[in-house]
Amino acid sequence: MKLTLLSVLLAFQIWMICTGSPVLEERATGACAALAHDEMDYECLKQMWNFYHFETGNEGWEACSSFLGTFSTGKFPRSQDCLVYRARCKDMKNNRPCCKSIHCHLWKMGRSPTD
């Protein structure tokens, strides 16, 4: 029974690797997290928006979507290309500044995290 289950799981993993998009595979291995926010494309920003709180493993971090209602795009044009938020993101006490940086970069692309 255990051998059959292991065989099924191994076959599934091989199938996933062979049929998966190389871009998605690269992102799944953490390639997005290695980039600065201003270097990310829409898909990476969206991945980080959805999973930032899992990326670092810091306790108490919340999903970026929990902050969305508190973010205003009014200050984004004066944010020096989102540098203000990226700088605050380096202080890893919580992930709100990181989420705001991602939101700002999405806004610069004319996109939203809810697209």
Side-chain angles (χ1 to χ4, degrees):
M1 178 68 178
K2 287 182 183 180
L3 186 57
T4 304
L5 181 58
L6 270 169
S7 297
V8 169
L9 289 174
L10 181 60
F12 178 73
Q13 288 298 321
I14 291 170
W15 176 79
M16 290 294 292
I17 290 169
C18 293
T19 60
S21 162
V23 173
L24 294 178
E25 288 174 31
E26 183 181 345
R27 291 197 169 114
T29 61
C32 291
L35 298 172
H37 294 169
D38 61 333
E39 298 171 337
M40 293 181 185
D41 62 8
Y42 170 74
E43 292 301 325
C44 270
L45 288 168
K46 184 75 171 171
Q47 283 286 95
M48 294 304 286
W49 177 267
N50 290 330
F51 302 108
Y52 219 135
H53 59 296
F54 294 122
E55 183 63 37
T56 62
N58 289 342
E59 286 189 34
W61 280 36
E62 299 178 48
C64 287
S65 59
S66 67
F67 302 117
L68 187 58
T70 66
F71 292 162
S72 167
T73 59
K75 293 182 180 179
F76 287 174
R78 297 183 304 277
S79 69
Q80 301 168 350
D81 288 330
C82 308
L83 290 173
V84 172
Y85 309 117
R86 282 201 314 265
R88 290 179 188 159
C89 181
K90 291 181 178 162
D91 180 14
M92 295 297 214
K93 291 178 184 167
N94 67 59
N95 63 324
R96 188 178 191 282
C98 300
C99 294
K100 188 153 189 167
S101 175
I102 291 170
H103 189 257
C104 184
H105 283 86
L106 286 166
W107 176 83
K108 281 178 52 181
M109 292 178 172
R111 304 294 296 263
S112 165
T114 57
D115 286 350

